[in-house]
Structure formats: structure tokens, C-alpha cells
Amino acid sequence: MMLKVKDVSVSLGGTEILEKISFEVKKGEYVGIVGENGSGKSTLIKTILKQCPLKSGEVRFYDSLIKIGYLPQQNRDKNFPASNFEIVLSGCINGIKNKPFFTKADKEKAISNMERLGIEGLKNKSFDFLSGGEKQRVLLARAMCASEDMLILDEPVTGLDPIVTESMYEAIKKLNEEKHVTVLMVSHDIPAAAKYCTKILHIGKTVRFFGTSKEYLESEIGIHFTGRCCEHV
């Protein structure tokens, strides 16, 4: 077990956003967090990351030394006056501790993650001149440098065209399957989440479903939100 969320409730501005949310995540799982707009998906992620205060409940990581790579929602206005390699390498910053510089191992890790995502050719280019899909791959590579234990991704494909979106989903799935990276991904694209994730957490203030993607596709709520009939699953 990596993560346990038990009876978590969160209020913002006097309004209860989440109510008694409970679920567990095991190592190597790929959990899609889905739900309608305003259902509290991003709030849940921020609560897990301790960016939102708990009203009640518990968020517990079983390994106190676990490292998390975080890819927040895409901000089109964000500028990075640096090369893509420098941005990816910055993901290693929490590991340098008392060292004054990034090590050779840090730099090799950054290059390896860029190669894994097919962006090694962008190494020396400026982030500001990349396409939306290229930027997301650079930021994903940076998150991977921060941790290969767990990645938390908040709407990683928002605003990308269908071909680039498919490519991003495939890249994330490959990381999960080949590197056994545990992934929590918030997505508004419920059919895609059901296709790529191993488990689905569907919330709407409370937990409406938590289980395997197959079980979700066969459930009443899954059929409703994906438009698929269980007899075709």
C-alpha cells in the first residue's frame, strides 16, 4: 500500500467541496480520478499534496520517504526563460540537498527521461517556443525527475489536439507499465481514463465509484458517463 485516504472532507469558503472521501492506492496502480466539472477532483489532489487543509479525515503515505512528481493543470501563460534540459533537470532539485550543483547522475536522469518521452531533440531549445504537447512532455519529464515512485497529474492533456492527447496518454501508460510508476491522474475525459487507467475513482463531492476500470465500464455510472454498454466491454 502506498496511499490511504480515509473519510476526507474539505471545505473552501464555507462550502463543503469533498465529503468523507475514502480510497487506497497500491504501488504500481494507475488511478484515474474522474467526475463532472466542480466535483472536487483538483481539490482532492491538492489535499493529498497538502496544498488544501483538511476539514476532517486522514491522508496517509505508508512510506514517509516517498517522493512525488506533480504535473499541475497546464497554464498557457506560463513562461520559462530556460532551455528544456534545464527545466527537466530542475525536477532533481529536491535531491541535491547540500550539494552546490546537479550531479552527473542528475543530468543523466534528465536526459534519460527526455529520451523516454521522445523529446531529447528539444534539449537545447527554449521552452517558450514549443507547442502545447511538447511543453506537456517537458513538464512530465521534469515531474519524472522529481520522482519515479508516484506521479500526480492534474488534467495533463487539457487543450491538446486529439493526436497529441493520444500520444500523451500512451506515454503515461508506458511509464506505468514499464517503470511501475504509481500514477494518480485527474481527467475530465472519462472514456479515456477508463481505457488507460487500471482503476477509476469517480467523485461528485462523495465517492460515487471506486474499483477497476473493467468494473467501472460495467457499472451503471460507468455506462452512463462513457456511453458504453456492458455487453460490449
Side-chain angles (χ1 to χ4, degrees):
M1 196 69 61
M2 291 191 76
L3 169 66
K4 181 178 182 179
V5 175
K6 183 178 180 181
D7 294 331
V8 162
S9 296
V10 176
S11 292
L12 298 174
T15 301
E16 190 161 59
I17 307 298
L18 300 173
E19 181 180 358
K20 292 190 176 298
I21 300 288
S22 295
F23 66 98
E24 295 179 337
V25 180
K26 297 178 182 178
K27 181 175 176 57
E29 289 186 330
Y30 183 178
V31 180
I33 302 174
V34 304
E36 297 178 88
N37 290 338
S39 60
K41 302 185 296 295
S42 292
T43 299
L44 176 59
I45 288 298
K46 291 176 181 177
T47 302
I48 292 171
L49 293 169
K50 298 182 179 180
Q51 295 177 2
C52 278
L54 286 168
K55 176 183 176 183
S56 60
E58 176 189 15
V59 175
R60 177 185 175 190
F61 286 97
Y62 283 83
D63 183 351
S64 61
L65 299 178
I66 188 174
K67 295 179 180 178
I68 299 172
Y70 176 45
L71 179 59
Q73 288 191 26
Q74 188 171 355
N75 184 343
R76 296 290 186 182
D77 297 325
K78 186 176 289 186
N79 294 313
F80 290 93
S83 72
N84 295 308
F85 175 71
E86 291 171 327
I87 291 169
V88 174
L89 183 61
S90 71
C92 298
I93 197 164
N94 288 333
I96 66 174
K97 297 180 181 179
N98 297 323
K99 297 175 291 186
F101 304 106
F102 292 108
T103 65
K104 180 181 178 181
D106 291 332
K107 295 175 182 178
E108 289 175 349
K109 183 177 184 180
I111 290 295
S112 175
N113 284 329
M114 294 186 81
E115 290 175 346
R116 190 170 289 129
L117 293 175
I119 54 172
E120 65 275 17
L122 303 176
K123 177 176 178 287
N124 298 316
K125 294 185 178 180
S126 171
F127 181 86
D128 292 344
F129 295 99
L130 301 184
S131 68
E134 290 170 337
K135 286 181 177 180
Q136 284 300 84
R137 283 179 178 260
V138 168
L139 296 178
L140 179 57
R142 181 178 68 169
M144 289 163 56
C145 282
S147 172
E148 289 192 355
D149 294 330
M150 175 181 283
L151 291 175
I152 295 182
L153 315 174
D154 193 352
E155 303 278 13
V157 300
T158 298
L160 305 182
D161 66 55
I163 294 176
V164 176
T165 293
E166 187 80 8
S167 177
M168 276 291 291
Y169 279 135
E170 292 287 352
I172 296 166
K173 182 67 173 177
K174 189 174 182 180
L175 287 174
N176 171 251
E177 292 180 338
E178 295 184 359
K179 301 293 290 183
H180 308 293
V181 180
T182 305
V183 181
L184 271 65
M185 179 181 73
V186 170
S187 179
H188 68 277
D189 188 345
I190 297 178
K195 175 182 177 182
Y196 288 100
C197 300
T198 58
K199 282 191 172 180
I200 296 294
L201 172 67
H202 191 127
I203 63 174
K205 188 176 181 180
T206 62
V207 174
R208 301 183 64 186
F209 178 91
F210 181 60
T212 68
S213 296
K214 183 178 186 299
E215 291 168 340
Y216 181 72
L217 289 170
E218 294 173 345
S219 69
E220 183 176 345
I221 188 172
I223 293 169
H224 175 74
F225 279 94
T226 63
R228 296 181 64 176
C229 177
C230 60
E231 66 186 19
H232 298 307
V233 174

